[in-house]
Amino acid sequence: MIKPVSEPQRPNTESPNTEAPKTEAPNTEAPSAGTRELHDAVSLRVLLFAAARDRVGADVVTIDVETPATAAAVLSALGDRFPDLAPLLPSCRLAVDQSFVAPGHAVDPHNELALIPPVSGG
Amino acid sequence: MRTTPPANEPAAPRQDSPSPGATTPDRDRSRFRVELVQGVIDNDPLRRFIADPDTGAHAWFEGVTRRMTGTRETVLLSYEAFEPMAKRQLESLALEALGRFGLTAVAISHRLGEVPIGEASIMIGCSAPHRVATLTALPWLMDRIKADVTIWKREHATDGSAAWVHPQ
């Protein structure tokens, strides 16, 4: 069972001492597309294997996906975050708790997510 | 420390737990054996597993590392798996094959890690009262394994290159 992980993945450029109550600073990370509504995001851990792992250089990654998160959104977020992985994604499937799921399948941090590139056992 | 008797544990797919009076699915669970192994596949336990006095056919498929693919020469294949998922998938396929083909027993062993030329990466055995069931089940199982089970093969060539095999 994989524990949900909530560690921030973005480089933390703030000093650890800036713990003071935050004032309403302008959110510089807001999407630039003015009409797009900002949704909550969820951090999801995804296991990587074989060619996918080699392209990313890690066997597990944590990505932020807007809620409500789906399998398709996870694949899309992986492609955005790791451009080298993008060409492989159309032939990949997402496994949720060790079962393949449809693109619209909802996922949350309690699920074990695994990116499954084309298999070649036998 | 275990405080409950083993008999109260959830049924695991074991050959030696016939559990009389079990439901059909439980009985089926005692009729397949699935394993992912490092190193050479040991055929003897598989052979013993599918043996049954009421079977008239034992059929086997053994997949081995091939040297030449067209003009390309392979040195060895290396396999890796998402092991817990692959194991569950193999168990599910074995169970389905038992019912679909009326088999008596199924054993599947897949090797992980490096598999040199001529050595087996997979061994599937099945038994049934008559041969047709066994000879039909083997290609069905292999096709399903190659399509869905989370195992990957990397081909190492004579020129020192290595590439993940992506079936079309």
Side-chain angles (χ1 to χ4, degrees):
Chain A
M1 187 73 179
I2 288 180
K3 286 186 295 185
V5 171
S6 58
E7 83 265 22
Q9 288 298 295
R10 292 196 186 83
N12 185 1
T13 53
E14 291 179 5
S15 132
N17 293 330
T18 53
E19 287 285 336
K22 291 191 175 93
T23 54
E24 285 289 319
N27 186 350
T28 54
E29 292 193 7
S32 53
T35 55
R36 190 161 152 238
E37 193 180 337
L38 179 62
H39 292 93
D40 289 334
V42 64
S43 276
L44 299 171
R45 239 169 85 104
V46 184
L47 306 178
L48 303 177
F49 296 93
R53 180 199 54 227
D54 287 358
R55 285 175 183 234
V56 171
D59 55 14
V60 58
V61 295
T62 303
I63 53 165
D64 292 333
V65 179
E66 280 188 8
T67 54
T70 61
V74 170
L75 294 181
S76 172
L78 284 169
D80 291 345
R81 170 98 175 270
F82 304 104
D84 289 348
L85 187 58
L88 187 62
L89 287 172
S91 57
C92 290
R93 288 178 276 187
L94 195 74
V96 176
D97 298 333
Q98 300 176 15
S99 293
F100 292 123
V101 298
H105 187 92
V107 297
D108 69 43
H110 302 293
N111 295 128
E112 180 192 58
L113 307 182
L115 182 67
I116 308 296
V119 297
S120 51
Chain B
M1 284 292 288
R2 291 185 184 282
T3 53
T4 53
N8 290 345
E9 291 182 7
R14 283 181 57 109
Q15 175 187 14
D16 53 353
S17 57
S19 51
T23 61
T24 300
D26 285 343
R27 200 171 63 236
D28 283 351
R29 283 197 155 266
S30 71
R31 297 197 285 125
F32 67 82
R33 169 193 170 122
V34 160
E35 62 187 16
L36 300 170
V37 300
Q38 300 282 343
V40 175
I41 295 173
D42 185 357
N43 297 344
D44 288 343
L46 307 179
R47 202 168 288 283
R48 284 196 297 274
F49 184 83
I50 67 163
D52 182 289
D54 295 325
T55 59
H58 295 179
W60 294 91
F61 175 78
E62 186 172 14
V64 302
T65 299
R66 177 181 57 241
R67 184 167 56 96
M68 298 302 296
T69 301
T71 56
R72 194 174 68 249
E73 183 171 352
T74 299
V75 176
L76 59 79
L77 298 175
S78 56
Y79 289 85
E80 72 168 59
F82 179 19
E83 292 192 37
M85 181 168 173
K87 192 110 188 292
R88 281 171 55 159
Q89 291 175 298
L90 290 173
E91 288 170 355
S92 167
L93 288 175
L95 189 59
E96 189 178 343
L98 283 170
R100 177 180 284 256
F101 301 100
L103 301 174
T104 303
V106 178
I108 304 174
S109 180
H110 200 301
R111 182 172 172 180
L112 301 177
E114 296 185 348
V115 183
I117 306 292
E119 294 189 15
S121 53
I122 188 166
M123 186 88 182
I124 302 182
C126 60
S127 60
H130 302 285
R131 72 183 183 284
V132 173
T134 62
L135 294 173
T136 315
L138 289 177
W140 182 88
L141 278 165
M142 278 307 298
D143 288 347
R144 298 291 297 270
I145 288 167
K146 283 181 167 286
D148 287 327
V149 175
T150 52
I151 299 174
W152 297 272
K153 162 186 346 196
R154 199 157 191 243
E155 185 176 350
H156 301 254
T158 44
D159 63 4
S161 66
W164 293 104
V165 176
H166 283 179
Q168 300 307 307

